[in-house]
Amino acid sequence: MAEFIFGNIFIAQLFIVLLEIVVIFAVISLAVIIQVYMERRICGLIQDRFGPNRVGPFGLLQTVADMIKLMSKEDIVPAKAEKLLWGITPMLLFIPAALVYAVFPFDNGVIFADIGIGIFFVIAVMSQGVLLFLLGGYASENKYSFMGAMRAVAQMLSSEIPIAFSILAIVMMTGSLRMSDIVSAQSGIWFIAVQPLAFIIFIIAMLMETNRTPFDLVEGEAEIIAGPFTEYSGMRWALFFLAEYTNLLAAAILTVTLFLGGWQGPFLPGISWFILKVFAVIFVFMWIRWTFPRTRIDQMMALSWKVLLPLALFNIMATGIGIYIYKWIY
């Protein structure tokens, strides 16, 4: 009898976990479709031209048409590539991009895994993407791909350290790594108001981390063609950019959670505020992309190591002094 009961409990827990995974992938897929449409519309608006307007009302089905086109394209495998590594890299790249959604608080109590080291988990998982970019470039047996992969390593390592130190200031103020605690700590005032320098550092470093203009240096048409993606076509190519938009959504969610009060807001339900804030941040990221030109790799590295990192360290010191003074006064 006991074995029967425990067996049913295990099956029920497994079913819940699988259901949560399905929900996460459904949210990501829908969000990516919306983001691609937003990207094209915002690009058209800024460049004073039409965005998608033919397939479906207002061009809403253009992304669906593109998916069908990519699925029907020939999957070309380079003759000299390391075929196993080359083939699985696009699929593996999507795993860390999707895994971080498990610890994001979408609403009050709506979080799949409210673990005590939530923010540390996000940083650790997001940093794994650099290994897969390197693997894809190496397995392609293409010099341009490998150069793009090495750029990805340099760029992501340069961005992750300022990101971690800017987040550390938030952790110092809340005294917790739990994502829900960070949101709850902003019930009185959002951290963007008390940590504006950390916010600016975080946004710039996140643009680097997500390979968004002006820091889309993993690829460069004049130098390394498409970098790690050069030898990929069809759906394998699409998986790289699915991961990019998944990371963009994760970056926006992380910005909202850390600096913009998460799901908190007056009048509307929490999930409504969360969605509005997230897409407002995504709009800002896209606005920046279609406004600024691509930088050089040496400019990006200098900005990260000579400007962002010292500012992040200064912000940590200032935060520590501020916390000490606050405790001394009160």
Side-chain angles (χ1 to χ4, degrees), residues 265-298:
F267 311 120
L268 298 176
I271 188 65
S272 300
W273 277 114
F274 184 82
I275 293 171
L276 288 172
K277 291 177 185 179
V278 166
F279 278 98
V281 173
I282 290 174
F283 172 79
V284 172
F285 282 150
M286 292 179 177
W287 187 0
I288 292 171
R289 175 178 182 179
W290 298 107
T291 302
F292 293 97
R294 179 185 291 151
T295 60
R296 298 195 313 265
I297 185 68
D298 60 307

Side-chain angles (χ1 to χ4, degrees), residues 162-163 165-170 173 190-206 259 303 307-319:
I163 287 172
F165 280 126
S166 63
I167 293 174
L168 182 57
I170 302 297
M173 294 187 64
W190 294 355
F191 283 148
I192 189 175
V194 293
Q195 287 286 345
L197 181 57
F199 175 75
I200 294 170
I201 294 168
F202 182 84
I203 290 294
I204 296 173
M206 265 300 173
F259 295 98
L303 174 63
V307 179
L308 297 184
L309 180 56
L311 284 176
L313 292 172
F314 168 78
N315 187 62
I316 290 172
M317 182 183 68
T319 301

Side-chain angles (χ1 to χ4, degrees), residues 94-314:
F94 186 69
I95 294 174
L99 193 58
V100 294
Y101 287 81
V103 297
F104 288 147
F106 297 94
D107 198 348
N108 187 16
V110 182
I111 180 171
F112 295 109
D114 193 14
I115 58 179
I117 56 168
I119 194 64
F120 179 80
F121 175 83
V122 170
I123 295 172
V125 170
M126 288 183 70
S127 65
Q128 301 306 307
V130 65
L131 300 175
L132 298 169
F133 274 104
L134 181 61
L135 184 63
Y138 167 78
S140 296
E141 285 291 339
N142 180 308
K143 293 179 180 179
Y144 296 109
S145 296
F146 190 64
M147 289 173 64
M150 293 304 295
R151 271 195 186 182
V153 173
Q155 178 169 329
M156 291 183 176
L157 289 179
S158 299
S159 64
E160 284 163 4
I161 296 174
I163 287 172
F165 280 126
S166 63
I167 293 174
L168 182 57
I170 302 297
V171 174
M172 291 169 65
M173 294 187 64
T174 58
S176 175
L177 294 169
R178 193 183 297 272
M179 302 287 278
S180 58
D181 290 346
I182 293 174
V183 175
S184 299
Q186 300 177 74
S187 57
I189 184 171
W190 294 355
F191 283 148
I192 189 175
V194 293
Q195 287 286 345
L197 181 57
F199 175 75
I200 294 170
I201 294 168
F202 182 84
I203 290 294
I204 296 173
M206 265 300 173
L207 288 171
M208 296 179 186
E209 178 72 11
T210 54
N211 187 33
R212 303 285 295 179
T213 308
F215 306 113
D216 57 334
L217 301 171
V218 176
E219 53 185 303
E221 295 83 356
E223 313 143 62
I224 54 173
I225 314 175
F229 326 121
T230 302
E231 297 292 353
Y232 288 92
S233 62
M235 281 306 296
R236 295 187 197 273
W237 177 87
L239 283 172
F240 274 99
F241 287 89
L242 177 64
E244 179 178 323
Y245 278 105
T246 304
N247 285 328
L248 176 61
L249 179 62
I253 292 174
L254 202 54
T255 304
V256 169
T257 302
L258 295 175
F259 295 98
L260 301 178
W263 47 265
Q264 299 184 90
F267 311 120
L268 298 176
I271 188 65
S272 300
W273 277 114
F274 184 82
I275 293 171
L276 288 172
K277 291 177 185 179
V278 166
F279 278 98
V281 173
I282 290 174
F283 172 79
V284 172
F285 282 150
M286 292 179 177
W287 187 0
I288 292 171
R289 175 178 182 179
W290 298 107
T291 302
F292 293 97
R294 179 185 291 151
T295 60
R296 298 195 313 265
I297 185 68
D298 60 307
Q299 293 172 329
M300 186 278 296
M301 297 284 284
L303 174 63
S304 179
W305 293 102
K306 296 180 180 179
V307 179
L308 297 184
L309 180 56
L311 284 176
L313 292 172
F314 168 78

